[in-house]
Amino acid sequence: MAIRFDVAERGGDLVAVAEGAGSVTIQVQRLGDASQALSARWYTSFNLGGFVATPDQDYTSASAVLSWGAGDSAPHTLSIPILDDASGGCAGEFWVGLDVASPASPVNNDGVRVTIVDNDPAPSTPLVSVGPAASFSESIGTA
């Protein structure tokens, strides 16, 4: 008996979601012998690499327990709210982890990296116009 995020079946640990989508859904599968009850805790966390999505600014931090009764092998779906901010920028990432609570069973993959694809325009770079009479000196740093 084991559990895993269904993205492992597709050969990866990455899920992408548009910032304006409202939420991201991820399926968790129970594998093998389903004769005993099983529970597992999932949780959101900072991604340790790449661009970091900020909890409660880019997504709603969350955790919950998924439970399967004896004989239940149906996949469970978890949903994490994605927050649409108005600031331009780049994609952000966070982690969804999985721990088996009872009975002790292997987790085939311990997490999924979620990338939030920003839907806001990149901030524009301000233009500075310098007239012909201006001069600059690198040595003193003034104009």
Side-chain angles (χ1 to χ4, degrees):
M1 158 173 51
I3 58 173
R4 72 169 178 203
F5 288 111
D6 84 334
V7 293
E9 181 177 274
R10 296 190 305 266
D13 68 346
L14 177 65
V15 173
V17 62
E19 182 181 46
S23 66
V24 60
T25 57
I26 301 171
Q27 237 183 23
V28 180
Q29 296 178 329
R30 180 179 186 168
L31 308 172
D33 180 11
S35 63
Q36 296 179 38
L38 174 69
S39 62
R41 182 181 76 91
W42 67 269
Y43 56 92
T44 58
S45 178
F46 283 105
N47 183 26
L48 299 178
F51 299 103
V52 176
T54 305
D56 302 320
Q57 180 177 329
D58 296 316
Y59 67 96
T60 301
S61 58
S63 68
V65 174
L66 302 172
S67 296
W68 287 264
D72 180 8
S73 61
H76 287 343
T77 301
L78 55 98
S79 181
I80 302 160
I82 301 299
L83 306 175
D84 192 355
D85 61 18
S87 64
C90 54
E93 296 180 344
F94 67 96
W95 185 256
V96 181
L98 187 63
D99 295 322
V100 175
S102 68
S105 297
V107 176
N108 283 13
N109 59 328
D110 61 354
V112 174
R113 186 171 36 130
V114 178
T115 298
I116 302 171
V117 180
D118 196 6
N119 64 352
D120 301 309
S124 61
T125 304
L127 297 175
V128 177
S129 176
V130 178
S135 65
F136 295 90
S137 172
E138 271 189 52
S139 62
I140 58 172
T142 62

